[in-house]
Every structure is written in structure tokens, then in C-alpha cells.
Amino acid sequence: MFSNEVDVARSPLGAFEPGQAVAIVDYRDKPIGVGYVNPNSLIAARLVSRGLDHALDRSLIVHRLNIALALREQLYPQPYYRLVYGESDGLPGLVLDRFGDVVVGQIATAGMERLKDAITDAVVKVLKPRQLWWKNDSSIRTMEQLPEYADLGHGEYGGEVVAREGDLEFVIDPVGGQKTGWFYDQRENRDQLARLVKGKRVLDMFSYLGGWGLRAAAYGASEVVCVDASAAAVEATQRNAERNGLAERVTAIRADAFDHLKALREARERYDVVILDPPAFIKRKKDFKEGSLAYRRLAELGMQVLRKDGVLVTCSCSHHMPRAALLDGVQQGARHLDRQVQMLVSLQQGPDHPVHPAIPETDYLKGYVLRVLPA
Ligand code: SAH
């Protein structure tokens, strides 16, 4: 509920504590449900439960976790997935990623922060994890006036945390890594590599821990180069390549992606498959123009290091970058470079990140597998 939808004569927002649980009713007093408020946020209230029968407590969270778990257990043979995806799983402001017996959580709102002990108890009751980490360092917490921190919430320090995907193991860092440490949202998209990379030279840009690159190597790519600006990510990629017996065919390089692509272009290096999976270039709506141009420039650079008949995988995790605009940028770039493009597969976030049809923000990841030919 946005702040301008609240009847502030009846419910002065200033009278609420950030995160306070509330009953939400319509103008005739008909119950809408139970939720929590934040008077400091444009999103003044978030609905957690329809009707007024359930309090926001451990028992409601246990119920939500069990419903979320039932879907993931059906989708995946092993306990490695996003278990809770915020609003889409009826727990606005909460993300939980599961790495076997370790859970990494992210809280984005004051309402969820207030429920942190109840969430911890509920997770322990439902999953009995070895560790529960809180990676509460997202910048959106500032808007909710919450501190940023990352720390163990349950269990004992020590031991490694491993993401499993496509029969590979990736050691992740729940404190120093990106987001929860791993991007499960691309799993099904990375599965697409199976029929694209055998015997091919593959370039994985913005590679982080080598999710795309190592999966390509496992599917039989003859040579894979992973490029990321973070030294820690590059070192971890090398270690993960060794751990999975892929080190001979995988190289990880620390570089700025744009600079590196330009250098490859100048050196006339060519790849069969180029993967572009960058961080969000458009964080706020007003950055659309600049950000969408960055996606186009990146796609052009990617095409310039492709061999004559190559495959480009391009992605955007910016909610503010529409699916069609990403494809438009590719097409404009292709015209500019005198190439022709065939769109083979349209990509989206995996089903452990379900979309809430009433909340377009929950649909954020888009991408394409494209064949690039001379015009
Ligand atoms: N493709 C990854 C996820 C990418 S997350 C995966 O499949 O898991 C974004 C990554 O881009 C981070 O690892 C970050 O270090 C890196 N990065 C950000 N800006 C960069 C730049 N200008 N050049 C290269 N890497 C960059």
C-alpha cells in the first residue's frame, strides 16, 4: 500500500513505529488483511496475510515456509535453491537462499527486521540448519532506516558454504559475497548452455564465481575465460574450477568488462559463445536512458568479439529495463555493426523466484540467447 492510499485522517502515519504490525481495512472497515507499516517509506504498508485471523508471528512464518518448501522440493532433487522470494512467497521483505544445511537470509524492511527472531525460530524449526546467516547489507535498508550488517544468526562459525548447481560445487562467501553469495536465478538459463558450448571457446563476462563459465566447461567447452572486476571473485572462480576438475580449460581474469572487451576487439580475439550477465545498470527509473545505453554498448562489444556465426547470451537483472528494450538494444547494435541476429531463446528467472502477477517488481530477470551472423 502506497502512502497516498492511506486515509491519514483516520490513520496518521506518524503515529506508527517503523515495522509495526497493523490490521488493514478498507474505507467501509472491511478487513483487507494483516501487514506491517513503515511511515518513512513510500510503500507505507505491506500485506502479509489476507483476513484478520492470523497474527504476524512464528506460526504464520512456519506456515509460509512450509508452503514455499513444498514448491522447491518438487522442483529440485537437492536442497539448493531460493526458498523464500519476498512478496511472491507471502513474506514481503524477506529472502532466504538454501545451500544444503546452510541458509542465507536477507531482510529489506523494518517490518521483517522486527520479526527476525521469529523468522530464525521458524527456519530452525522447519529446516534445522547448521547455520543461518543474515546478509543484511542491501542499500535499500537505508530507506527503511535500518543498519547494514552481515553476521551469523544461528549455529556456530566455521565450515564452508557450498552452492550446488548442475552437478558442480561452488564455494560461496555468505558475508563477503554478492547478495546471498550465489545467483540461483540463472540456474535454468545456464542449463541452456548444454546444447550450445560443446567444443567451443566461451567468454563469460561479469563472471562472479564462474556460474556460467564453469557450467559451460562442464558441458564440454574447449576453453572458457571468466572476467570479473573483483579480485576475490576471480580467485574464488579459480578455486572452484580446480574443485570441479575443470581448471585446465578455465581461466579467470580480473578486469573491467568494457575495457577487456575493447582490448579483445583490438587484438582480434574471437569466441564462439559470449555471455554478458552484468550487475543491474539501472537501479532507479530515472537512470533508464543511461542504463539502457550501457546494455546496448555492452551487447555491441560482445558481438564484436564473436566469430562469424556465434552465440551471444545477454541478460539484465534490472527491473527498470523492460524485456523488449533489451532486445531493441541488441537489434540496434547489430544494425550498427552490420550483423543480423536470430533470437533463439528468451530467458527469465528460475521458478524458485516466482513472479507475483500483481507486483511487477518481482519479475526482474530477462535475457536472450541469440545467434549473430554477418548481415
Ligand atoms: N554472472 C554472475 C553474476 C554477476 S554479479 C553469475 O552468473 O553468478 C555482477 C558481477 O559483476 C560481480 O561479480 C561484480 O564484481 C562484477 N562487476 C561489476 N562491475 C564490473 C565491471 N565494470 N567489469 C567487470 N566486472 C564487473
Side-chain angles (χ1 to χ4, degrees), residues 137-149:
D137 64 349
S138 149
S139 56
I140 42 173
R141 286 174 63 92
T142 334
M143 283 197 285
E144 298 267 333
Q145 291 164 335
L146 295 170
E148 293 176 25
Y149 61 90

Side-chain angles (χ1 to χ4, degrees), residues 181-196:
W182 184 246
F183 294 96
Y184 282 123
D185 54 359
Q186 293 278 25
R187 166 183 4 217
E188 282 79 5
N189 300 333
R190 296 184 188 117
D191 292 348
Q192 295 289 334
L193 294 169
R195 51 190 182 178
L196 299 171

Side-chain angles (χ1 to χ4, degrees), residues 48-50 54 58-76 81-91 96 98 122 126-127 351-352 354:
V48 183
S49 184
R50 300 263 177 191
H54 300 288
R58 188 187 79 149
S59 130
L60 177 70
I61 299 164
V62 166
H63 180 62
R64 289 278 191 274
L65 289 184
N66 279 322
I67 294 173
L69 186 60
L71 170 69
R72 279 68 178 185
E73 285 185 333
Q74 180 173 342
L75 292 171
Y76 303 107
Y81 38 66
R82 173 147 297 184
L83 173 64
V84 167
Y85 177 45
E87 272 81 355
S88 300
D89 283 301
L91 290 169
L96 296 174
R98 187 172 187 192
V126 174
L127 300 175
D352 52 346

Side-chain angles (χ1 to χ4, degrees), residues 165 178-179 181-187 190 204-213 227-231 233-234 253-260 275-281 315 317:
E165 191 189 300
Q178 299 270 340
K179 306 283 172 89
W182 184 246
F183 294 96
Y184 282 123
D185 54 359
Q186 293 278 25
R187 166 183 4 217
R190 296 184 188 117
D204 174 9
M205 300 303 297
F206 307 92
S207 50
Y208 186 41
L209 305 181
W212 289 91
V227 180
D228 198 281
S230 146
V234 166
I253 297 173
R254 182 186 183 190
D256 173 79
F258 290 87
D259 291 347
H260 191 72
I275 297 149
L276 309 170
D277 180 19
F281 289 152
C315 308
C317 57

